[in-house]
Amino acid sequence: MTLNSDTSEADQPVYYPGPGIVVTGTYIETDDSIYRVRDLVVEDPAYFYAHTARAVALYCGTLELLLAAGVAALYGSASWLLGAAGVLAATGLIAAIWIDYCRNPRHMELTALHRGRRVVLFTSDNRRVFEQVRRAVVRALEAKRPLRP
């Protein structure tokens, strides 16, 4: 193995065996290149949320709430029931969008600096796989960190 001549490939643990990326104690192999772990400075993962349809639904729910409150105020107390239904619908919609936003990013990207150049190590739409790869990279980096005296 040419990446690290002082240890053999068989001695290095494999933290994530692929597909798409192989993370070992010495190197990280992607589809594009092979990077030594000691040459990488991993950045915080980026989570990209794309909820355009949900945003439109949120705006429509807000508009419904405003219209219901206006109608209820104009026509008296019997129409306040309509306003309460609008508030309930808008609250439920906001809660559902917020929960989905927090739990389900649409695209995740793990980047690092390799000799001053930003490289993308791994991207995924699957949160479980992405977190497995992220933890594997963190374990590989921690294994190469020198011990403090």
Side-chain angles (χ1 to χ4, degrees):
M1 178 173 181
T2 59
L3 286 178
N4 192 354
S5 59
D6 55 347
T7 59
S8 68
E9 186 174 344
D11 294 340
Q12 294 301 315
V14 176
Y15 295 110
Y16 189 81
I21 187 170
V22 176
V23 180
T24 70
T26 306
Y27 65 92
I28 296 174
E29 181 179 355
T30 65
D31 293 335
D32 300 330
S33 187
I34 298 175
Y35 305 101
R36 281 190 206 148
V37 172
R38 67 179 180 213
D39 294 340
L40 291 175
V41 177
V42 177
E43 299 173 345
D44 288 336
Y47 299 98
F48 300 99
Y49 297 92
H51 299 286
T52 54
R54 289 183 180 96
V56 170
L58 178 62
Y59 295 136
C60 290
T62 304
L63 182 62
E64 176 190 358
L65 174 65
L66 293 174
L67 289 174
V71 168
L74 225 109
Y75 290 108
S77 63
S79 295
W80 279 103
L81 184 60
L82 179 64
V87 169
L88 184 63
T91 304
L93 183 63
I94 290 169
I97 290 172
W98 182 73
I99 289 169
D100 189 51
Y101 179 81
C102 291
R103 291 184 181 171
N104 299 311
R106 298 298 175 236
H107 182 74
M108 294 148 284
E109 189 174 83
L110 185 62
T111 59
L113 292 176
H114 180 257
R115 298 181 181 165
R117 185 175 55 99
R118 183 179 179 268
V119 293
V120 176
L121 295 177
F122 187 72
T123 63
S124 178
D125 295 334
N126 186 332
R127 186 175 186 118
R128 183 183 60 81
V129 172
F130 180 79
E131 289 299 324
Q132 288 175 347
V133 170
R134 186 191 65 79
R135 285 190 306 267
V137 170
V138 167
R139 285 193 302 266
L141 291 170
E142 288 175 349
K144 285 297 171 186
R145 186 181 306 156
L147 297 174
R148 294 185 195 182

